[in-house]
Amino acid sequence: MIPLSLREIAAVVGGTVVGDGAVTVTAPAVLDGRRAEPGGLFVAFSGERVDGHDYVAQAARAGAVAVLGSRPTPLPTVVVDDAPGALQALAAHVVARLRDRLTVVGVTGSQGKTSTKDLLASVLSRAGHTIATFGSLNNELGVPLTMLRADADTRFLVLEMGARHVGDIAALTGLVAPDIAVVLNVGQAHLGEFGSRAAIARTKGELVRGLAPGGTAVLNADDPRVVAMRSLTDGPVLTFGRARHADVRVREPVLDRFGRASFTLRTADASVPVSLPHLGAHQALNASAAVAAGLVAGVSLDVAAAALATSSLSKWRVEPHDLAGGVRLLNDSYNANPDSTRAALDALAAIECGRRVAVLGEMLELGEESAAEHRAVGEYAAERADVVAVVGEAARPIADGAGARAVLLADRQTAVEWLREHLGAGDVVLVKASRGARLDEVAAGLT
């Protein structure tokens, strides 16, 4: 974060300073007091269940020097009526101060956006100091928190932008108009909230509509709903994918015996081999998106390919762990929808191993199609796994679809106990469900 005194912050957000207004914030803003850094700003929200003001002392111990909140605290505080709105206003101000030297990239899509954001951060880091969204903090609070991590040395700011309602991404681009907009796909994530894929497409298209003047849209050539977003901008468009007409094209993808993808990326005038350290063929598409955005930002094809080879992903994205007894765990428990679950099952099927065990839980927010989509995933899993262990009554349709290969387990603890008893040397076990199903606890129970 650029250094700002509390008086300056108060002027930006329309707040009142209580305490020493000369105190200067020099480190990022946080919502979790435990994550505060020396010189940082603690943002305190009053929620229905938790009041952030109660954790000011915790933030102070961690190094926070000031608070942005709705009432005075023991630390110097900027008091505002609307703390979330003030956080957003402050973030917009900071990035505006840096805009002449900063390239902003927005990334959205129904699935793959966190992995693509991670890959793109690796690519851009080869060309300059890069700040990117931590994990999946991609909403109206996470985006401004990421923006506030930018400082005078930052050249690239990569913002993952998520949505649950029409207008959510437009609100985020209202804080900062991206120079590059990456749209990955229009799938079924949050279908129950949006009501239709058409509504999801409109929302993802808000990123393209929100481009800065002269900004470039980077679009998935394999997804007709995404390609149609060309009409939303008068600026340049670059495409990626497997389609023959893609500007950055994935060619000849193969998986090694561990499920890691290798392929060739081809542009109009060059090609380069790419080998990823990550599992799953779906990562090739994510990598092509990252490379396309990198090309727009000035990173050469060769440099981008080298960056991908040493890239890392956020936690719980088909994350491999070797367990005791010769068992390998693929922890993909961060979130799930039908498309991402199929991609994870494909990754499982590609691995050379003994038995393949898919531990699957509920996929949330699928609306009226929920039961049918769960059943379809069960059918898909039965073709790619030797055992489909389904956790929780809400996920029963997966077991119905998987048929004889399914075992229905009542809850997370039962799943851990069953897996400990039945897994053997050479087995690979995939754990996948929506975040709300908390199957990360199953993965943790195995490790």
Side-chain angles (χ1 to χ4, degrees):
M1 181 168 167
I2 61 175
L4 290 171
S5 72
L6 283 199
R7 290 193 189 97
E8 292 175 299
I9 293 173
V12 169
V13 303
T16 302
V17 177
V18 177
D20 186 357
V23 168
T24 298
V25 174
T26 58
V30 297
L31 303 182
D32 183 342
R34 297 167 296 183
R35 295 185 178 274
E37 300 177 21
L41 177 69
F42 178 56
V43 184
F45 294 157
S46 296
E48 294 181 2
R49 298 183 180 180
V50 178
D51 188 341
H53 298 81
D54 296 337
Y55 297 89
V56 169
Q58 180 189 66
R61 289 193 296 271
V65 295
V67 174
L68 176 63
S70 57
R71 64 174 184 268
T73 76
L75 285 178
T77 302
V78 174
V79 178
V80 295
D81 293 331
D82 176 11
L87 173 66
Q88 293 171 357
L90 181 61
H93 171 79
V94 166
V95 171
R97 290 264 299 265
L98 301 171
R99 207 63 174 95
D100 61 343
R101 64 179 70 93
L102 190 65
T103 297
V104 179
V105 187
V107 180
T108 196
S110 294
Q111 58 269 342
K113 53 186 174 290
T114 299
S115 294
T116 301
K117 173 265 303 179
D118 293 335
L119 296 173
L120 178 56
S122 295
V123 168
L124 295 178
S125 292
R126 296 296 181 100
H129 180 54
T130 300
I131 294 295
T133 301
F134 178 79
S136 294
L137 297 177
N138 58 25
N139 62 9
E140 71 280 3
L141 302 180
V143 168
L145 288 174
T146 304
M147 293 167 64
L148 287 172
R149 289 167 50 207
D151 58 25
D153 295 326
T154 307
R155 182 174 173 189
F156 300 105
L157 178 62
V158 182
L159 300 172
E160 178 182 332
M161 295 187 176
R164 290 178 180 272
H165 308 93
V166 173
D168 283 353
I169 291 178
L172 297 177
T173 61
L175 302 179
V176 55
D179 302 292
I180 304 170
V182 182
V183 184
L184 298 171
N185 42 56
V186 175
Q188 296 165 281
H190 310 306
L191 183 60
E193 296 284 347
F194 284 101
S196 70
R197 281 204 177 190
I200 295 173
R202 287 199 301 274
T203 304
K204 302 307 180 186
E206 292 169 5
L207 183 61
V208 179
R209 289 185 184 276
L211 275 166
T216 300
V218 177
L219 305 178
N220 182 356
D222 301 339
D223 189 325
R225 290 183 176 88
V226 176
V227 173
M229 295 177 192
R230 282 179 179 272
S231 65
L232 303 180
T233 178
D234 295 327
V237 174
L238 196 69
T239 59
F240 62 90
R242 295 188 180 186
R244 292 181 62 86
H245 60 274
D247 296 311
V248 178
R249 185 181 177 193
V250 176
R251 296 291 307 277
E252 300 156 354
V254 296
L255 299 178
D256 67 14
R257 65 189 185 91
F258 298 108
R260 298 171 300 198
S262 295
F263 48 94
T264 298
L265 285 180
R266 178 167 295 175
T267 64
D269 52 10
S271 65
V272 64
V274 178
S275 294
L276 295 177
H278 317 301
L279 278 63
H282 61 289
Q283 296 295 0
L285 182 70
N286 296 337
S288 69
V291 170
L295 290 173
V296 175
V299 182
S300 71
L301 194 62
D302 288 343
V303 170
L308 292 174
T310 58
S311 59
S312 59
L313 301 181
S314 298
K315 68 178 183 178
W316 303 347
R317 271 79 178 182
V318 199
E319 184 178 276
H321 297 272
D322 290 322
L323 308 181
V327 175
R328 170 159 270 215
L329 166 68
L330 307 181
N331 185 354
D332 198 22
S333 61
Y334 189 83
N335 217 335
N337 59 61
D339 294 326
S340 68
T341 302
R342 289 185 178 92
L345 288 165
D346 288 342
L348 175 65
I351 297 173
E352 295 180 12
C353 60
R355 291 184 309 162
R356 298 175 180 87
V357 180
V359 181
L360 305 177
E362 186 180 10
M363 300 175 292
L364 299 173
E365 300 178 4
L366 293 179
E368 295 179 356
E369 301 299 317
S370 180
E373 292 292 347
H374 281 81
R375 178 183 288 274
V377 160
E379 294 171 354
Y380 198 85
E383 296 174 353
R384 286 157 178 79
D386 300 292
V387 179
V388 182
V390 180
V391 184
E393 183 62 31
R396 178 182 286 273
I398 297 177
D400 295 339
R405 291 186 183 267
V407 55
L408 184 62
L409 303 169
D411 52 35
R412 295 181 295 277
Q413 183 57 42
T414 302
V416 171
E417 294 169 358
W418 187 92
L419 290 164
R420 285 175 176 170
E421 180 179 352
H422 289 86
L423 292 176
D427 290 348
V428 175
V429 55
L430 167 72
V431 179
K432 179 75 170 172
S434 284
R435 189 75 185 93
R438 294 165 52 188
L439 289 202
D440 58 291
E441 296 177 10
V442 174
L446 296 177
T447 57

